[in-house]
Each structure stands twice: as C-alpha cells, then as structure tokens.
Amino acid sequence: EYTEGNLRIIRHPLRTLTEKPVNILFASVPVGFIVFMIGFAMALQQGGLESLLTSSFIDDVIVITLLVILLPLVVLDLQEGRRIRSIEESLPNFFRDLAGMHESGMTLQGAVHLVSMSEYGSLTPHIRQMDQRISWNFPFIDAIRALGDEIPIPLVRRSVDLVARASEAGGDIVEVLR
C-alpha cells in the first residue's frame, strides 16, 4: 500500500500536496511550465522570434506563469500560519482546563475525556485523538507525548515535553499545567 513514503501521493494526492505548503510546488511548477510553454508558443506564432523582444506579451506570460506557480503556495502558507496560530492560542486554554479539572479531583484521563468535548480550534482533532489513545489504555504520558509528536510546532513540543516530564517525576502536575 501507498500510505507512507513518497508514493503516498498515488493514494491521497490532494492530502499529500496540501499537508505542507511547499508540497504544492510538485503540482504548480509543472502546470506553470505548461502555461509558459503555451504562452511562448502563442508569442512565436503571433509575431515570430523578434516579437519576443519587442512585444510585452511574453512579459505577461512570465507574470501569469509565476502567479500559477506561487499563488497556491502563498494560499497554503497563509492557511498553515492560521492553523499554527490557532493551535498556539488554544494550547494554554487546553492545559488550563485540564489543570482545573484535575485539581477538582478528576483523574488526568477523565479530565482529558471531558476536555476533548470542548472546542479548541485547530487543536481539537488532536485532543480528541489523544482522548482516543487514552481510551485504548495508553498511559497519559505516552498519549501526551504522541500529541507533541503529531503537532510539529516548537511551542507544542516544549510544552508537552514539560508536562510529560513533570508527570513522570511525580511533581505537582496541576502547577506545571498552569
């Protein structure tokens, strides 16, 4: 099966192209090249070789080609930036809610389950995945480390690592979460 590695584009082309903004270049560069070749051929057909130097048509073709190549990259990069910002803004609220529920006497596993029903923007699906892991009898430490591994954002990884280490050391997890 082509679910991992470079050939996963065969099984999930759109997901593979959009999971990282730079991946879209695998599609937009060839399309841009085709657009350029069509425009170049049209310019040659209309005025010959000398028209390439005197006409502004070829300039328009170059600009359109660059737009075809770069516009999808810019759009996906903006989307990724919003997603990262949403996760970074929601993470403190998630930890605060988790700490509050644990402080009120709930187990960390129960607190994660209850918190997973709340809305935390782009962080929500990851919290629900963490809750599922815990429901499959993953230890809290492994589930929270998996959360840090699946979200490649430095703030998330540092925060999750700190919570996992405090939980392993048997420290005051509520204080660390806050």
Side-chain angles (χ1 to χ4, degrees), residues 6 13 25 55-56 74 76 87 106 108 125 159 178:
N6 293 331
L25 292 176
S55 171
S56 67
V74 168
L76 286 176
I87 288 173
M106 219 178 240
L108 281 173
S159 303
R178 285 200 192 282

Side-chain angles (χ1 to χ4, degrees), residues 32-152:
F33 182 72
I34 291 169
V35 166
F36 179 76
M37 293 309 288
I38 291 171
F40 189 77
M42 287 173 58
L44 283 176
Q45 187 179 26
Q46 283 181 356
L49 211 51
E50 66 275 352
S51 74
L52 293 178
L53 299 173
T54 59
S55 171
S56 67
F57 183 72
I58 197 68
D59 296 339
D60 297 341
V61 170
I62 291 171
V63 168
I64 290 170
T65 300
L66 288 174
L67 282 174
V68 166
I69 291 172
L70 296 176
L71 193 62
L73 178 66
V74 168
V75 168
L76 286 176
D77 193 51
L78 285 172
Q79 265 184 330
E80 181 68 4
R82 282 192 193 123
R83 186 183 78 81
I84 288 171
R85 198 168 29 260
S86 171
I87 288 173
E88 287 177 345
E89 289 171 358
S90 300
L91 191 66
N93 295 333
F94 165 65
F95 284 144
R96 197 173 308 116
D97 293 348
L98 202 59
M101 290 182 185
H102 185 62
E103 195 174 36
S104 68
M106 219 178 240
T107 64
L108 281 173
Q109 292 82 353
V112 169
H113 179 68
L114 208 55
V115 165
S116 72
M117 295 178 198
S118 300
E119 186 59 40
Y120 294 97
S122 297
L123 186 61
T124 303
H126 300 287
I127 294 171
R128 291 189 178 145
Q129 177 100 24
M130 181 181 166
D131 178 45
Q132 289 224 322
R133 284 188 183 105
I134 289 172
S135 73
W136 297 333
N137 290 328
F138 272 63
F140 173 78
I141 296 168
D142 293 344
I144 198 139
R145 282 217 165 107
L147 176 76
D149 290 341
E150 70 187 29
I151 305 174

Side-chain angles (χ1 to χ4, degrees), residues 7-21:
L7 293 178
R8 72 183 183 281
I9 195 167
I10 294 170
R11 188 152 173 97
H12 304 287
L14 193 60
R15 185 186 324 156
T16 304
L17 289 174
T18 58
E19 68 186 4
K20 292 181 191 170

